[in-house]
Amino acid sequence: NGLPLPLELSPFGFAGCHLHVAPLPGVGQPLVHSGGTASWSLSLPGNPVLAGLSFYNQGVSFDAGSANGLAAFSNAGTGTVR
């Protein structure tokens, strides 16, 4: 999408946060967390063509209790299909 990454989010009110993964429309997965943790799973077909495929992720928590009263962003994550 042409977005330069990582993108410093301080100008948008998220001091100390960076966007590491470009958002894709319709790809986000909302999670409900309890006690400060959340988890998700990704189901993939057992197709050997997918072996070696890399994927990237980052979370955002919309939380009125965060430092800016809006949200906080996680570090970036990466995974490889085996």
Side-chain angles (χ1 to χ4, degrees), residues 23-35:
L24 298 173
V27 176
Q29 181 179 6
L31 301 172
V32 176
H33 67 86
S34 175

Side-chain angles (χ1 to χ4, degrees), residues 19-58:
L19 183 65
H20 293 277
V21 179
L24 298 173
V27 176
Q29 181 179 6
L31 301 172
V32 176
H33 67 86
S34 175
T37 62
S39 64
W40 62 275
S41 62
L42 177 64
S43 297
L44 297 172
N47 187 332
V49 172
L50 299 175
L53 178 73
S54 294
F55 61 94
Y56 307 91
N57 55 60
Q58 183 173 14

